[in-house]
Amino acid sequence: MDKIGRKIQELRKSKSLTQEQLAEKTGVSRQTIYKWESDYVQPNNENIVKLCEVLAVDKKYFFEISAEDTAANNAPANPNITKKKRSIIAVIISGILTLFSAIVTICVGLTTYQPSQNAMWATTSSLNITYFYISLVFTILFFCFTALCMVGLFRNKTK
């Protein structure tokens, strides 16, 4: 949206008024006019009504949206990174995390069961089994996140 300050300044200059003259006619200080024009402060409704009277414009003028502003508001924040690229990046990162987590889970799982020399069955350490389950949970979570990212990516492709 066009800044109100810029509109005030354009109207003031088109009427060949200085900031001091406009300030006198609206009953505010020159510093206030400067702050309005710099968009440091927005005029309240009462002051907008005074500005409209002095500058001979309708109140709607200060709140109109131009076609240029509408196009700027609809543009992506960063045109170099589109939604599709962000989705692809998310899938790649989550896939890498899933792979890493799966490798950790396998390594922890292999160290969890150690054969006992006297027994026929393998023994387990409770600490190692806890690490195994934790890494297994993370692997499952990363896998689900990757799957969701891929579903979102394919949905964007079909639209």
Side-chain angles (χ1 to χ4, degrees):
M1 190 163 107
D2 278 346
K3 300 282 186 178
I4 290 176
R6 188 173 72 187
K7 290 182 176 185
I8 293 170
Q9 186 178 40
E10 288 173 359
L11 282 171
R12 176 182 60 80
K13 287 182 178 180
S14 72
K15 303 284 184 187
S16 301
L17 294 171
T18 65
Q19 286 182 342
E20 288 180 13
Q21 292 169 332
L22 182 59
E24 286 176 21
K25 292 184 179 195
T26 55
V28 297
S29 67
R30 184 199 60 77
Q31 290 86 355
T32 301
I33 300 294
Y34 169 79
K35 288 178 183 178
W36 290 345
E37 289 182 355
S38 302
D39 285 314
Y40 289 126
V41 177
Q42 297 294 313
N44 61 25
N45 275 342
E46 182 182 327
N47 289 327
I48 287 180
V49 170
K50 289 179 186 177
L51 284 169
C52 291
E53 291 171 1
V54 171
L55 299 171
V57 293
D58 189 50
K59 190 175 179 179
K60 293 178 185 177
Y61 171 79
F62 289 109
F63 303 103
E64 289 176 340
I65 298 175
S66 67
E68 181 180 291
D69 294 330
T70 304
N73 287 340
N74 291 335
N78 187 349
N80 296 329
I81 301 177
T82 62
K83 190 174 184 179
K84 184 177 179 183
K85 285 182 183 178
R86 281 184 289 209
S87 297
I88 291 171
I89 291 169
V91 167
I92 291 170
I93 290 172
S94 63
I96 290 169
L97 288 173
T98 303
L99 181 63
F100 177 75
S101 180
I103 290 169
V104 168
T105 302
I106 291 168
C107 291
V108 170
L110 290 175
T111 61
T112 300
Y113 295 102
Q114 297 176 352
S116 174
Q117 293 180 2
N118 298 333
M120 196 166 149
W121 303 100
T123 60
T124 61
S125 164
S126 62
L127 185 61
N128 282 345
I129 215 67
T130 305
Y131 289 148
F132 174 74
Y133 287 132
I134 290 171
S135 61
L136 184 63
V137 167
F138 276 107
T139 301
I140 292 168
L141 288 174
F142 287 138
F143 178 77
C144 291
F145 182 71
T146 303
L148 287 174
C149 288
M150 290 179 75
V151 166
L153 182 64
F154 290 123
R155 277 192 180 164
N156 289 341
K157 259 188 180 178
T158 58
K159 286 182 180 180

